Amino acid sequence: MQLDELLASADKLPSLPKVLQDLVIAFDQPDPDIQRIVMLISADPTLSAKILRAANSAFFRRARSIASLKEAVLMMGLHTVRMLVLSAGMAGAVHFLDREMRKQFWRYSLHTAVAARYFAQLTKQDADVAFTAGLIHAIGEPLMSGALEDDMQMLDEHSAFFDSQRASLERLALGYAYPDVGAALAKLWNFPEQVATAIRAASDPLASGTFIPLAACIHLGTQIAVSSERDEPKEIAFSMLDTRLLEALKLDMKAVEAMPSLQELAEGLHELVA
């Protein structure tokens, strides 16, 4: 199955619930109506609870607790709330046949997201875009696994979905890879263009000849997240980071090594994609 055939197969693609489609439209208005956005989020109790829990999590480090959705939207800002809403909705829209695989996939994806956000903050990139793109950078994997079960099972025998060579192996076998599918899906779901661009380049940020800092932040985030999945010490994770990307981003190793643990960075956010 070619990439365009996969993307044209409506029954193969995950779709956002109606309330999230309405929220995308509301967020994208020239002058977004906060009251309508709050009303739409309130219409989905599960989404409402996730946004409030995220707003009160250590991730945002608020001085006081936030009790209402309107307060959460005002405190976090529309850009951040948009990212959280779409990320939560996306997690619910993608289905996995294996429960443990779903758990591992979102844990790895969330850890990539918070690490990418940390690197983006260090390099003065858009941290919210880095978080969202990091969270969904591998979203093409479960979609391809569902549509191309036999091909993907053969690839799984040689490489885990989060291995650094996975995208290259998929392109050799299929002609395209999960970053291509993920970027297309991000566009379909009306994520900002920056998100799609970063996803497409994240598996090899130096390959295109045009260096994309956000893609580099995500790639470094994946390296930290993969090391965590393998239960390696932080020292091993830092020693394995791509030095070419560290140099291109002008990252100081002392600042990199000062990164808090992934558990601390993601505290309170695991339920966002549960």
Side-chain angles (χ1 to χ4, degrees):
M1 182 182 291
Q2 299 299 311
L3 177 57
D4 56 350
E5 294 175 316
L6 175 63
L7 297 173
S9 303
D11 60 318
K12 305 291 186 187
L13 293 175
S15 59
L16 290 178
K18 177 64 165 58
V19 65
L20 288 165
Q21 294 178 28
D22 291 341
L23 277 163
V24 169
I25 294 172
F27 278 118
D28 285 343
Q29 295 302 307
D31 185 18
D33 184 339
I34 291 179
Q35 195 60 42
R36 174 166 172 73
I37 288 170
V38 170
M39 181 190 71
L40 287 170
I41 297 174
S42 300
D44 187 321
T46 300
L47 181 60
S48 300
K50 286 186 174 184
I51 297 304
L52 274 175
R53 281 197 292 268
N56 283 297
S57 72
F59 184 76
F60 289 104
R61 305 191 185 281
R62 301 295 179 192
R64 58 186 178 81
S65 62
I66 296 175
S68 72
L69 278 173
K70 185 173 184 179
E71 187 180 10
V73 172
L74 292 172
M75 290 288 289
M76 292 190 292
L78 288 177
H79 186 65
T80 297
V81 173
R82 183 185 196 277
M83 297 300 180
L84 293 176
V85 163
L86 291 179
S87 298
M90 176 249 347
V94 178
H95 301 290
F96 292 78
L97 296 177
D98 184 274
R99 185 175 181 180
E100 283 305 309
M101 175 56 72
R102 182 186 193 280
K103 183 178 179 181
Q104 182 187 42
F105 179 86
W106 287 120
R107 181 180 62 235
Y108 158 78
S109 297
L110 180 59
H111 287 167
T112 295
V114 294
R117 187 177 191 270
Y118 180 82
F119 290 125
Q121 288 173 325
L122 288 181
T123 56
K124 301 189 183 334
Q125 301 297 313
D126 190 319
D128 288 329
V129 171
F131 174 85
T132 302
L135 187 68
I136 65 173
H137 80 282
I139 201 65
E141 281 294 339
L143 174 57
M144 292 168 69
S145 293
L148 307 164
E149 188 173 354
D150 291 341
D151 290 320
M152 297 301 279
Q153 283 183 351
M154 289 182 62
L155 285 166
D156 288 341
E157 293 176 5
H158 301 285
S159 171
F161 76 88
F162 50 69
D163 286 346
S164 60
Q165 72 271 26
R166 180 65 181 225
S168 297
L169 291 174
E170 288 177 357
R171 289 198 174 97
L172 284 173
L174 305 169
Y176 57 91
Y178 71 87
D180 307 310
V181 179
L185 190 57
K187 285 189 174 182
L188 181 70
W189 280 3
N190 294 312
F191 280 84
E193 180 61 31
Q194 285 177 290
V195 173
T197 300
I199 289 172
R200 186 178 293 107
S203 63
D204 191 352
L206 298 173
S208 68
T210 301
F211 181 64
I212 300 171
L214 278 172
C217 291
I218 295 164
H219 187 92
L220 293 173
T222 67
Q223 292 185 297
I224 295 291
V226 166
S227 186
S228 176
E229 289 301 314
R230 292 173 176 160
D231 292 322
E232 295 171 346
K234 283 178 64 175
E235 294 74 20
I236 297 295
F238 294 140
S239 70
M240 296 298 289
L241 291 176
D242 191 324
T243 55
R244 300 170 305 161
L245 298 183
L246 294 174
E247 291 172 3
L249 289 169
K250 296 181 173 57
L251 273 168
D252 177 66
M253 273 310 294
K254 287 185 178 179
V256 171
E257 292 172 352
M259 174 189 283
S261 69
L262 291 175
Q263 289 68 34
E264 183 178 347
L265 287 174
E267 186 178 354
L269 291 185
H270 289 92
E271 291 186 9
L272 184 68
V273 293

